Amino acid sequence: MKVIVTKDYAEMSAAAAELVAKQINDKPDCVLGLATGSTPEGMYAELIKGYEAGKIDFAAVRSVNLDEYYPIKPDNDQSYRYFMNTKLFDHVNIDKANTNVPNGLAEDAAAEGARYDKIIADLGGIDLQILGIGQNGHIGFNEPDTELVAGTHLADLTEDTIKVNSRFFASVDEVPKQAFSMGIGSIFCARNIIIMASGANKHAAVAKMLEGNITTLCPATLLNLHPNVTLICDEAAYNG
Ligand code: F6R
């Protein structure tokens, strides 16, 4: 794993955006795997600036998002579809028809998982996947467990994750208890992966991942098995 340590969140965001911009410039119709949450927000803001400056063209870019709450309507302001539209897609020249987020209303979870993994396969896999990391080491919503699921699936969120994500909701009771998430196998369809982390609250998970051992009890450690992973984290996440 390649490691880039930045001074702070702003530098982390700029460094990640530079690699995404390079990917788009190298392959204008690339497939980006995208994440939501606090971590990539600054990176999306930098990408919008790059677009506005005429340095990045999203016209041919395709995207697949990691996850979506269940059940949730796409126009709910807590949905990850809403997040992507408002934080990136509405501000650049991406064709929304080329953007994919799991369907937070799908009634048949197995069919939705299969549909989503077929989208990834039909796109030819992911060129560059962006990941955040949970305080408990989750990637996507692959939560620590004795077994992990390979494909896209409906995941039960842990109490920890529900509590951490409640900061975005009016109360903890409003946080959905489940989410569709790419599985570890779906994520490993990516040829290149960037995992980002900011803040001392991510230090334990980052340190566990950097130890190099593999455990499903810290799903991010599986990234040690992938040949092209770059960790971009700030000093607080790196040093604690
Ligand atoms: C988001 C996702 C999650 C987050 C993780 C960190 O699409 O898949 O794994 O990356 O929960 O969230 P933040 O960035 O809010 O700390």
Side-chain angles (χ1 to χ4, degrees):
M1 182 174 301
K2 187 174 167 200
V3 180
I4 299 172
V5 182
T6 63
K7 187 163 63 69
D8 55 19
Y9 179 84
E11 275 189 11
M12 175 196 73
S13 303
E18 202 175 303
L19 293 181
V20 175
K22 183 175 183 319
Q23 171 67 72
I24 297 171
N25 288 330
D26 288 352
K27 184 179 175 188
D29 64 346
C30 65
V31 178
L32 298 179
L34 299 175
T36 58
S38 304
T39 309
E41 271 195 56
M43 179 192 78
Y44 293 139
E46 290 292 327
L47 289 173
I48 292 167
K49 277 195 227 159
Y51 165 71
E52 286 170 348
K55 293 183 187 153
I56 312 173
D57 181 4
F58 288 82
V61 169
R62 285 87 51 80
S63 73
V64 279
N65 259 78
L66 272 174
D67 37 28
E68 177 61 285
Y69 285 123
Y70 174 84
I72 203 158
K73 289 187 183 157
D75 58 357
N76 182 313
D77 63 7
Q78 294 300 340
S79 80
Y80 287 167
R81 164 51 76 181
Y82 186 91
F83 177 104
M84 289 312 305
N85 286 349
T86 53
K87 304 289 182 196
L88 180 66
F89 299 156
D90 287 344
H91 307 284
V92 298
N93 65 334
I94 199 164
D95 179 351
K96 279 206 192 128
N98 290 335
T99 68
N100 299 279
V101 180
N103 174 8
L105 293 175
E107 280 171 16
D108 182 337
E112 175 60 8
R115 182 190 75 86
Y116 207 69
D117 282 332
K118 184 168 184 310
I119 289 175
I120 298 170
D122 289 349
L123 287 169
I126 298 164
D127 290 298
L128 177 60
Q129 175 69 54
I130 304 297
L131 297 174
I133 185 170
Q135 290 181 33
N136 64 4
H138 73 211
I139 48 175
F141 281 123
N142 295 281
E143 298 278 33
D145 207 336
T146 50
E147 288 186 3
L148 299 178
V149 184
T152 301
H153 60 285
L154 188 59
D156 294 328
L157 306 187
T158 61
E159 285 303 319
D160 283 358
T161 297
I162 290 169
K163 209 188 291 168
V164 169
N165 286 7
S166 67
R167 70 190 191 280
F168 297 114
F169 292 81
S171 80
V172 75
D173 300 329
E174 287 183 25
V175 185
K177 308 289 178 279
Q178 292 182 299
F180 281 105
S181 177
M182 284 189 197
I184 295 294
S186 328
I187 292 170
F188 269 58
C189 287
R191 286 177 272 284
N192 292 284
I193 297 176
I194 292 174
I195 181 161
M196 302 163 74
S198 171
N201 60 341
K202 298 293 175 72
H203 173 65
V206 166
K208 185 79 192 151
M209 180 174 70
L210 289 176
E211 271 174 18
N213 298 327
I214 312 299
T215 170
T216 58
L217 300 178
C218 180
T221 62
L222 273 88
L223 295 173
N224 287 298
L225 298 172
H226 191 285
N228 296 309
V229 178
T230 303
L231 165 67
I232 307 179
C233 68
D234 62 16
E235 283 172 4
Y238 191 72
N239 296 319

